[in-house]
Amino acid sequence: MIMHLRLFLLATVAAHFAPAVSHAAESPKPAPVDYTTFEGKKVELFAWRGKHMAFLTKREDLDPKLMAELCTTFDKIYAFYHESTGRKPAKMKELDGLLSVAEVDETCGAACGYLGATGIELTPGVFVQLYSGFETGGTIDQAPPYEFGRNFW
Protein backbone atom coordinates (compact mmCIF):
# COMPACT_ATOMS: atom_id res chain seq x y z
CA MET A 1 0.00 0.00 0.00
CA ILE A 2 2.77 2.44 0.94
CA MET A 3 4.66 1.64 -2.29
CA HIS A 4 1.50 2.29 -4.36
CA LEU A 5 1.02 5.61 -2.55
CA ARG A 6 4.64 6.58 -3.32
CA LEU A 7 4.24 5.69 -6.98
CA PHE A 8 0.98 7.66 -7.14
CA LEU A 9 2.61 10.70 -5.53
CA LEU A 10 5.62 10.50 -7.86
CA ALA A 11 3.39 10.16 -10.91
CA THR A 12 1.30 13.11 -9.72
CA VAL A 13 4.40 15.28 -9.18
CA ALA A 14 5.82 14.28 -12.55
CA ALA A 15 2.55 14.96 -14.36
CA HIS A 16 2.34 18.38 -12.73
CA PHE A 17 5.75 19.33 -14.11
CA ALA A 18 5.38 17.81 -17.57
CA PRO A 19 4.63 20.45 -20.20
CA ALA A 20 2.52 19.85 -23.25
CA VAL A 21 4.95 18.59 -25.88
CA SER A 22 5.04 21.29 -28.53
CA HIS A 23 8.40 20.90 -30.23
CA ALA A 24 8.35 24.66 -30.89
CA ALA A 25 11.74 26.07 -29.90
CA GLU A 26 15.01 25.30 -31.66
CA SER A 27 17.49 23.51 -29.40
CA PRO A 28 21.22 22.90 -29.72
CA LYS A 29 22.67 19.53 -30.66
CA PRO A 30 24.22 17.52 -27.83
CA ALA A 31 27.94 17.60 -27.13
CA PRO A 32 29.92 14.36 -26.77
CA VAL A 33 31.28 13.87 -23.23
CA ASP A 34 33.35 11.24 -21.46
CA TYR A 35 31.55 9.58 -18.56
CA THR A 36 32.63 7.03 -15.97
CA THR A 37 29.74 4.83 -14.83
CA PHE A 38 28.98 3.96 -11.21
CA GLU A 39 30.67 0.62 -12.00
CA GLY A 40 33.85 2.34 -13.26
CA LYS A 41 33.39 1.82 -17.03
CA LYS A 42 34.40 4.69 -19.31
CA VAL A 43 31.92 5.53 -22.06
CA GLU A 44 31.19 8.38 -24.46
CA LEU A 45 27.72 9.88 -24.11
CA PHE A 46 25.93 12.94 -25.49
CA ALA A 47 25.03 15.80 -23.14
CA TRP A 48 21.68 17.58 -23.27
CA ARG A 49 21.94 20.40 -20.73
CA GLY A 50 19.27 22.02 -18.62
CA LYS A 51 19.64 24.68 -15.94
CA HIS A 52 20.18 22.29 -13.01
CA MET A 53 20.66 18.92 -14.68
CA ALA A 54 21.90 17.22 -17.83
CA PHE A 55 20.80 14.06 -19.59
CA LEU A 56 23.75 12.04 -20.91
CA THR A 57 22.44 9.73 -23.64
CA LYS A 58 23.92 7.00 -25.79
CA ARG A 59 22.42 8.51 -28.94
CA GLU A 60 22.99 11.96 -30.39
CA ASP A 61 20.16 11.72 -32.94
CA LEU A 62 17.30 12.26 -30.49
CA ASP A 63 14.85 15.11 -31.11
CA PRO A 64 16.65 18.22 -29.77
CA LYS A 65 13.40 20.05 -29.03
CA LEU A 66 11.99 17.10 -27.11
CA MET A 67 15.23 16.73 -25.14
CA ALA A 68 15.16 20.46 -24.30
CA GLU A 69 11.60 20.03 -23.00
CA LEU A 70 12.65 16.98 -20.97
CA CYS A 71 15.53 18.99 -19.47
CA THR A 72 13.15 21.84 -18.61
CA THR A 73 10.76 19.40 -16.95
CA PHE A 74 13.53 17.80 -14.90
CA ASP A 75 14.89 21.23 -13.97
CA LYS A 76 11.45 21.81 -12.42
CA ILE A 77 11.61 18.44 -10.64
CA TYR A 78 15.06 19.40 -9.32
CA ALA A 79 13.64 22.74 -8.09
CA PHE A 80 10.70 20.92 -6.45
CA TYR A 81 13.02 18.64 -4.46
CA HIS A 82 15.31 21.56 -3.58
CA GLU A 83 12.37 23.59 -2.28
CA SER A 84 10.82 20.58 -0.50
CA THR A 85 14.00 19.50 1.28
CA GLY A 86 15.66 22.90 1.72
CA ARG A 87 18.94 21.48 0.49
CA LYS A 88 20.93 20.54 -2.57
CA PRO A 89 22.62 17.16 -3.06
CA ALA A 90 26.32 16.84 -2.31
CA LYS A 91 28.46 16.91 -5.46
CA MET A 92 29.29 13.40 -6.72
CA LYS A 93 28.46 12.83 -10.40
CA GLU A 94 28.05 16.08 -12.29
CA LEU A 95 28.66 17.60 -15.68
CA ASP A 96 29.95 21.15 -15.38
CA GLY A 97 28.06 21.64 -12.10
CA LEU A 98 24.83 20.01 -13.39
CA LEU A 99 23.31 16.90 -11.83
CA SER A 100 23.90 14.11 -14.36
CA VAL A 101 21.29 11.59 -15.50
CA ALA A 102 23.26 9.09 -17.60
CA GLU A 103 21.95 6.35 -19.86
CA VAL A 104 24.24 3.34 -19.32
CA ASP A 105 24.14 -0.36 -20.17
CA GLU A 106 24.44 -1.53 -16.54
CA THR A 107 23.95 0.09 -13.16
CA CYS A 108 22.76 -1.00 -9.69
CA GLY A 109 19.22 -1.64 -11.02
CA ALA A 110 16.99 -0.47 -13.86
CA ALA A 111 17.59 3.04 -12.51
CA CYS A 112 20.00 4.05 -9.78
CA GLY A 113 20.70 7.29 -7.91
CA TYR A 114 23.14 8.19 -5.18
CA LEU A 115 21.64 8.88 -1.75
CA GLY A 116 22.13 12.54 -0.83
CA ALA A 117 24.50 13.23 -3.72
CA THR A 118 24.28 14.04 -7.43
CA GLY A 119 24.29 11.24 -9.95
CA ILE A 120 21.60 9.12 -11.57
CA GLU A 121 21.97 6.29 -14.04
CA LEU A 122 19.21 4.80 -16.20
CA THR A 123 19.42 1.64 -18.25
CA PRO A 124 18.50 2.01 -21.94
CA GLY A 125 15.06 0.47 -21.36
CA VAL A 126 14.20 3.01 -18.67
CA PHE A 127 15.47 5.90 -20.79
CA VAL A 128 13.50 4.71 -23.85
CA GLN A 129 10.36 4.43 -21.71
CA LEU A 130 10.92 7.98 -20.42
CA TYR A 131 11.66 9.42 -23.88
CA SER A 132 8.84 7.65 -25.75
CA GLY A 133 6.26 8.36 -23.03
CA PHE A 134 7.16 12.03 -23.09
CA GLU A 135 7.16 12.08 -26.90
CA THR A 136 3.78 10.41 -27.36
CA GLY A 137 1.78 11.83 -24.47
CA GLY A 138 3.89 14.13 -22.32
CA THR A 139 4.04 11.48 -19.59
CA ILE A 140 7.00 10.73 -17.36
CA ASP A 141 7.88 7.28 -16.03
CA GLN A 142 8.16 7.27 -12.22
CA ALA A 143 11.75 5.95 -12.04
CA PRO A 144 13.70 9.15 -12.91
CA PRO A 145 11.75 11.46 -10.52
CA TYR A 146 12.13 8.82 -7.80
CA GLU A 147 15.90 8.75 -8.32
CA PHE A 148 15.97 12.57 -8.12
CA GLY A 149 14.38 12.18 -4.70
CA ARG A 150 17.18 9.82 -3.65
CA ASN A 151 19.74 12.46 -4.65
CA PHE A 152 18.05 14.90 -2.23
CA TRP A 153 17.60 12.30 0.57
Side-chain angles (χ1 to χ4, degrees), residues 3 11 15 24 35 37 48 50 52 58 66 82 103 121-122 124 134 143:
M3 183 56 129
Y35 178 78
T37 70
W48 308 84
H52 302 291
K58 295 176 72 156
L66 181 72
H82 178 240
E103 178 190 10
E121 291 185 343
L122 309 175
F134 199 76

Side-chain angles (χ1 to χ4, degrees), residues 103-140:
E103 178 190 10
V104 298
D105 289 327
E106 296 177 8
T107 190
C108 65
C112 190
Y114 284 121
L115 285 175
T118 57
I120 296 169
E121 291 185 343
L122 309 175
T123 56
V126 172
F127 179 76
V128 166
Q129 189 173 8
L130 171 66
Y131 183 86
S132 61
F134 199 76
E135 179 179 43
T136 59
T139 62
I140 298 173

